[in-house]
Amino acid sequence: MGHDHSHSHSHGGHHHHDHAPKLDHLNTAFIVGIILNSAFVIIETIAGFMTHSLSLLTDAGHNLSDVASLALALLAFKLTKVSANSKYTYGYKRSTIIVSFFNAMILFVAVGFIVYEAIMRFLNPETVSGGTMAWVAFIGIGINAFTAWLFVKDKDTDLNVKGAYLHMAVDAIVSLGVVISGVIIYFTKLYWIDSVVSIIIAAVILRGTWSLLKDSLRLEMDGVPAEMDLDKIKAELMKGKGVVDVHHMHVWALSTTENALTAHLVIKPENMTDFDSIKHDLRHRLQHMEINHSTFEPEFADEKCGQPECA
């Protein structure tokens, strides 16, 4: 049968639906986050060298990776606005998935570096100025918590926004840990605490980014997005007028905010003439399930599918 593909649907020719999250307002959040965290990285690095604090230096390195992550995420959002062309028929939407995966990998490399440096410093502890260390990290709590707040409202709408939120929230917790270790060092002179806190920081970062890595890798491999339930999607498609079966169904992510679907619809012969209204109804249903692009191939109920993996 004929192949039909459309990216929008209408009601009465005037009422259009678009359920893809609109995240344009986040440009400001990303820019503010980049500026604040860049300034703090400079402050924390200088303080880290002055106080010989590995905790501050490792946290500064992590904050620097966060600045890079925010910049890449902002770039990815900008690229999604670039129009499709003959070379990239979906535009550059997938750049958001690539960036989220790349950011997760950067963090894993950072964790390895932090653990290595912490072990070396533990074996050869250095004198650390606990008071300065605590005050600088205290400033970090405020900056990171405020930046996380900028993304909290939209963290469940996009993987890159979730990544930015997690990075900032984790950093606020990490800074709290550095404050605590600074206070302990100030009163006890137990300088090895600095290395222990660095390892704890690494563990917190690892835990906070594991889900980000899994989700981004799933999307990179064209896996079904985590929030998608294929059984529920099929059940919704089965509600279409005259639809008696659905097979050869595929769901994947075009970006971190847009999902796509293709499916074969087995339709009763007497309803085939209504296929145009059937597909519009089904697209409307799918858009409420966060599937923005859908392609349907109709089949008569008495027709045998000729494509493999149709069962």
Side-chain angles (χ1 to χ4, degrees):
M1 300 299 298
H3 184 78
D4 182 85
H5 192 181
S6 175
H7 291 168
S8 64
H9 67 287
S10 61
H11 300 270
H14 298 288
H15 186 186
H16 295 274
H17 289 264
D18 185 358
H19 294 271
K22 297 298 184 184
L23 303 173
D24 293 341
H25 61 283
L26 286 173
N27 283 346
T28 301
F30 278 111
I31 292 172
V32 170
I34 290 170
I35 293 173
L36 286 177
N37 282 273
S38 294
F40 184 60
V41 165
I42 296 172
I43 295 172
E44 200 169 27
T45 301
I46 294 173
F49 280 115
M50 289 177 62
T51 62
H52 304 289
S53 170
L54 180 61
S55 292
L56 283 180
L57 290 174
T58 52
D59 192 39
H62 178 51
N63 272 295
L64 181 60
S65 73
D66 284 344
V67 171
S69 297
L70 291 174
L72 285 171
L74 178 60
L75 174 62
F77 277 120
K78 295 290 187 182
L79 287 175
T80 61
K81 305 299 181 184
V82 178
S83 301
N85 54 56
S86 60
K87 298 293 184 181
Y88 296 90
T89 56
Y90 273 122
Y92 298 89
K93 300 177 186 293
R94 199 173 185 83
S95 60
T96 57
I97 298 176
I98 296 172
V99 165
S100 65
F101 178 74
F102 186 63
N103 283 338
M105 294 306 299
I106 287 176
L107 285 171
F108 273 90
V109 172
V111 166
F113 175 76
I114 290 171
V115 171
Y116 173 78
E117 289 296 323
I119 293 173
M120 292 298 100
R121 184 65 68 88
F122 186 81
L123 297 175
N124 301 284
E126 294 185 21
T127 302
V128 176
S129 176
T132 304
M133 177 177 159
W135 277 112
V136 173
F138 184 75
I139 296 173
I141 294 176
I143 292 177
N144 291 317
F146 175 73
T147 308
W149 175 78
L150 294 175
F151 299 108
V152 66
K153 185 178 70 172
D154 300 289
K155 66 182 177 65
D156 295 322
T157 61
D158 178 84
L159 200 57
N160 276 311
V161 178
K162 178 183 178 182
Y165 169 77
L166 284 175
H167 284 215
M168 296 302 108
V170 166
D171 277 354
I173 297 172
V174 166
S175 294
L176 177 60
V178 177
V179 169
I180 293 172
S181 67
V183 171
I184 293 174
I185 290 171
Y186 180 78
F187 287 105
T188 67
K189 307 303 180 185
L190 297 175
Y191 300 118
W192 54 267
I193 291 292
D194 188 39
S195 296
V196 173
V197 169
S198 292
I199 292 177
I200 294 174
I201 288 174
V204 171
I205 295 171
L206 188 63
R207 181 176 180 181
T209 57
W210 180 246
S211 63
L212 180 64
L213 177 66
K214 288 195 300 181
D215 289 343
S216 59
L217 183 59
R218 179 201 290 256
L219 299 187
E220 189 67 37
M221 297 293 291
D222 282 337
V224 178
E227 70 278 8
M228 296 283 110
D229 186 323
L230 291 183
D231 291 333
K232 288 183 179 180
I233 294 172
K234 182 174 181 179
E236 198 67 25
L237 292 176
M238 290 292 291
K239 294 178 183 179
K241 181 180 178 181
V243 178
V244 296
D245 191 23
V246 177
H247 55 225
H248 214 63
M249 185 173 71
H250 302 280
V251 179
W252 71 99
L254 295 175
S255 71
T256 51
T257 58
E258 296 184 57
N259 302 308
L261 171 145
T262 60
H264 288 202
L265 305 179
V266 180
I267 300 174
K268 295 177 182 178
E270 61 268 28
N271 295 115
M272 191 61 77
T273 55
D274 296 324
F275 182 65
D276 191 59
S277 62
I278 292 172
K279 71 183 180 184
H280 282 288
D281 170 57
L282 293 181
R283 287 197 180 109
H284 181 82
R285 294 174 182 273
L286 290 178
Q287 288 192 330
H288 283 288
M289 299 181 78
E290 307 304 328
I291 296 176
N292 318 93
H293 302 259
S294 53
T295 302
F296 303 117
E297 182 169 332
E299 297 175 7
F300 285 109
D302 56 357
E303 175 186 1
K304 181 175 176 59
C305 177
Q307 294 191 21
E309 300 179 9
C310 284

